[in-house]
Amino acid sequence: MREALNSWHMGHVFYAYRTHPWHGRVVSQEAMAGWLDLNQAQLSRIEGGKPPQDLGKLMRWAHSLKIPADLLWFKLPAHRDEASTEATSATVQPAAMTLEASQAGGLLPVVVNGRTVLVPVDTETIATSGLGSLFGQLAEESAARATEREPMSPLNRRDLLKGGIAAVALPGLGLDELHHVAAALDDAHRYLDGPVVDYFRRVLDKAKRDDGALGPKRTLPVMLGLLGAIESQARDVKPSVRRELLALGADGAEFAGWLYRDIQQPQAAVFWYDRAMEWAQEADNAAMQGYVLLKKSQMAYDERDALRMLTLAQAAGHDRWHLPARVRAEVTQQEALGRAMLGDPLDVVRGQLADAETLLTNAPEDQPDALGTYFNGHTRLLRDAITYTEAGKPSLAADLFSDVMSTGTLSHRDTGFFNARRAAALALSGEPDEAARVGKASAAVAQEVRSERTVRVLGEVLQTLGRWRSRPAVREFRESLTA
C-alpha cells in the first residue's frame, strides 16, 4: 500500500486497497466503485490508465477511503473552518475596509406603495444619503443569514435577492434612481423600462470588472442576485422590455457559467450556459448563441474532451451567428486547439492560428461591452501558448507565456492561472526548478482568489514533476500547493 501511495497514482492506490490482505479477500471493482461514486468501468480505467490529476477528485477519493493525510502526495482539507471563520468575521466587522468591502454595497430596503423592496446600492450612495448606520445593521443581518445557506447553489438564486446578500458597488446611484429601480422591482409591468435595464447592465459590468481581483466566490453572490431579479421580473414586463431584459440575462448567465467553471462546479456551469442559450434564443440574439457554443467548447477543454471541443468550436463558427470579428478570431483559435489535441499536423494547427491572428488584426474597435472585447493580442498569444503545449511544443509555449506575463497587463486572477499554464509548459520542457518556482507563485494567487481551475492545473504540474520530487524547489512547490 505504501508503495502505491509513493507512486502518486490513485489508480494504483485503489488496486492496492482492494487487494490488501486486511480485507480477507479481494474487494471487487463493483463494490469499491460504489464507495467512490463511480461505476465499475470508470474504476477500471482509473486503475489501468494514466494517473488522475483532478485535485478535487483526489481529495474526495482520499476522504472516502480514509487514507491518512500524511501518506498522501497532496493535502486533504480538514474542514471548512476557513469559510465559517470568514463568515463570522464578516458578521462581527461588517464595515471593515478590505478591498472587497470597499467595492461592495448592499441590498437596501425601499418602501414603495407600502411594500418593502430590496435594491442593490453602492457604498457611495449609502454614505451620501446618511444611511450608513442602517447599512451596518443590514450587513450584520445579511452575514448571519449567509451562514445558513450555500450561496454557490443555483437553486438558491431566487432567494439571494430577498435574503440580503451583499451586492456590487455602483457609482453614482442617486436616490431618485433608487426609487425608480425599487418601483420596477415592485411593479415590473408598469415601471421596469430601459433605465432600469441599464441599471442591471451596470451591475453586470461592475461584476465582470471585479472578478479578476476578487475571484469567483466573491462575485457569484452578486451575479446570482442579479439573475434572480432578471428571472423574476421578466415574467411581468412588456414584451419589448422582456426581450431586452433576457438579452442582458443571457449575458449574465454566460458569465455565471464561467464563474462556476472557475470553481470547478461543471454541473452548475452547464445549467447557466443552457439558461444563457435559452434566453438568447428568446431574445433573438444570434451572436450570444454562437458565443455560448464557444464557451461550451472551452469547457470541453477543461474536461479534456478534444472531439466535443472541436465540434462545438466548429458549430460556433457558423455564419448564422453573425459573430463579431474578435469572437470569430477566438473561435478559429479554439478550433486550432482542438486539432492540436487530436494530433493534427503542426502545419494545420499553425495555419489556423495564423487565420485567428489575421481576423483579430483586422477587427474594428468594438464598444467596451461588445462580445469578445477581452480577446486582444495578449490573450491570443496566451491561447497560442496553450495550443503549442497541446501540440507537443512546450518550450515554444513557455517562451510565449513568459513574453506576455512580463508585460504585467493581466488581472490578478489571470496572472495566477496563466502562470499555472506556464509552469505546466516548463515542466514538460524538462525545467523542474523554474516550473516549481512559477507554480509556487501561481498557487499563492489561486489560494487568494479561490480559483479551483488554477489549482487543478497546478495539480497536473505536480504530477509532471513527480520524477523530480526530491529536488528542493519541487518540494517547496508541493508544500505551497497543499498548505
Side-chain angles (χ1 to χ4, degrees):
M1 188 71 187
R2 190 175 293 275
E3 182 180 348
L5 288 163
N6 288 337
S7 73
W8 290 17
H9 190 316
M10 188 60 83
H12 295 174
V13 175
F14 289 166
Y15 179 79
Y17 188 95
R18 289 196 306 107
T19 59
H20 197 280
W22 183 85
H23 298 295
R25 63 178 181 176
V26 174
V27 177
S28 69
Q29 287 187 333
E30 290 86 350
M32 187 163 178
W35 303 342
L36 301 171
D37 197 23
L38 300 169
N39 58 45
Q40 183 272 330
Q42 289 172 324
L43 179 59
S44 178
R45 286 196 296 270
I46 292 170
E47 289 187 353
K50 295 180 179 179
Q53 298 177 346
D54 187 322
L55 196 57
K57 291 180 180 177
L58 293 173
M59 290 177 176
R60 187 170 70 249
W61 293 333
H63 269 304
S64 298
L65 298 180
K66 296 181 171 57
I67 301 173
D70 60 337
L71 298 180
L72 297 169
W73 59 98
F74 52 89
K75 185 174 181 180
L76 287 172
H79 295 286
R80 299 287 182 178
D81 293 339
E82 180 182 351
S84 61
T85 300
E86 290 175 358
T88 303
S89 175
T91 306
V92 175
Q93 296 178 317
M97 293 303 293
T98 62
L99 173 62
E100 178 191 359
S102 65
Q103 292 182 343
L107 290 176
L108 187 69
V110 178
V111 177
V112 179
N113 296 328
R115 297 174 55 188
T116 300
V117 181
L118 294 173
V119 183
V121 294
D122 66 309
T123 51
E124 180 184 352
T125 298
I126 293 168
T128 57
S129 60
L131 298 172
S133 59
L134 173 60
F135 176 72
Q137 178 184 350
L138 292 171
E140 291 182 3
E141 296 172 356
S142 173
R145 283 191 295 268
T147 63
E148 300 171 2
R149 65 164 65 84
E150 171 53 67
M152 299 298 106
S153 169
L155 300 179
N156 289 339
R157 61 190 184 278
R158 291 188 183 91
D159 187 51
L160 286 170
L161 185 66
K162 298 177 182 178
I165 284 282
V168 72
L170 296 174
L173 177 63
L175 290 180
D176 289 341
E177 184 177 8
L178 180 66
H179 280 282
H180 188 155
V181 172
L185 294 176
D186 180 65
D187 187 350
H189 187 79
R190 182 175 179 183
Y191 293 108
L192 207 156
D193 52 13
V196 176
V197 176
D198 290 342
Y199 170 82
F200 286 160
R201 166 63 67 183
R202 298 208 309 276
V203 174
L204 175 58
D205 290 345
K206 184 67 163 56
K208 288 182 177 181
R209 290 195 302 272
D210 287 347
D211 174 44
L214 302 180
K217 291 191 177 181
R218 298 289 189 255
T219 309
L220 258 170
V222 177
M223 286 309 306
L224 295 178
L226 173 64
L227 291 168
I230 290 174
E231 183 177 36
S232 175
Q233 303 308 314
R235 300 189 186 98
D236 302 318
V237 296
K238 299 172 184 177
S240 60
V241 177
R242 177 178 171 84
R243 284 189 292 272
E244 188 178 0
L245 197 58
L246 290 183
L248 173 63
D251 192 359
E254 181 278 316
F255 181 53
W258 149 249
L259 292 172
Y260 276 112
R261 279 177 57 201
D262 201 18
I263 62 172
Q264 294 293 290
Q265 291 196 17
Q267 291 183 331
V270 168
F271 172 90
W272 285 111
Y273 280 150
D274 288 346
R275 180 55 56 89
M277 180 67 80
E278 176 188 330
W279 283 348
Q281 289 170 338
E282 186 174 347
D284 197 22
N285 188 335
M288 178 56 73
Q289 295 172 55
Y291 189 69
V292 172
L293 288 173
L294 168 63
K295 296 304 165 182
K296 286 192 170 189
S297 173
Q298 292 172 347
M299 185 173 175
Y301 176 69
D302 296 343
E303 299 166 353
R304 307 296 297 170
D305 190 341
L307 182 59
R308 184 168 184 267
M309 173 189 154
L310 176 62
T311 55
L312 280 168
Q314 291 171 332
H318 199 284
D319 290 341
R320 72 166 69 92
W321 308 124
H322 304 291
L323 294 173
R326 290 180 184 274
V327 179
R328 285 189 286 117
E330 187 177 4
V331 167
T332 303
Q333 189 179 58
Q334 184 73 4
E335 186 174 347
L337 177 57
R339 293 190 179 281
M341 292 181 70
L342 290 170
D344 280 14
L346 185 59
D347 287 346
V348 173
V349 174
R350 278 178 165 156
Q352 285 207 296
L353 292 179
D355 291 343
E357 181 180 8
T358 300
L359 283 167
L360 183 60
T361 301
N362 296 329
E365 289 295 327
D366 295 318
Q367 295 296 323
D369 59 348
L371 284 179
T373 51
Y374 60 85
F375 193 73
N376 53 32
H378 285 160
T379 309
R380 181 187 64 80
L381 289 174
L382 291 169
R383 303 277 181 83
D384 279 0
I386 294 173
T387 303
Y388 281 122
T389 302
E390 297 290 350
K393 299 294 180 182
S395 296
L396 176 57
D399 290 341
L400 285 174
F401 280 126
S402 297
D403 289 344
V404 177
M405 303 300 291
S406 64
T407 64
T409 57
L410 301 181
S411 71
H412 190 49
R413 191 268 318 282
D414 286 351
T415 297
F417 176 73
F418 285 110
N419 260 335
R421 290 291 185 195
R422 179 185 169 198
L426 288 166
L428 291 170
S429 302
E431 299 285 347
D433 291 343
E434 183 66 7
R437 184 189 67 79
V438 173
K440 182 179 178 182
S442 173
V445 177
Q447 291 163 359
E448 182 179 346
V449 301
R450 301 182 183 180
S451 175
E452 299 295 334
R453 191 173 65 123
T454 303
V455 171
R456 178 178 179 177
V457 175
L458 291 173
E460 296 170 0
V461 175
L462 198 57
Q463 291 282 351
T464 304
L465 293 174
R467 57 191 286 199
W468 295 290
R469 69 186 68 174
S470 61
R471 298 181 71 87
V474 176
R475 288 202 304 269
E476 288 181 11
F477 167 48
R478 176 179 175 273
E479 291 168 1
S480 71
L481 185 59
T482 58

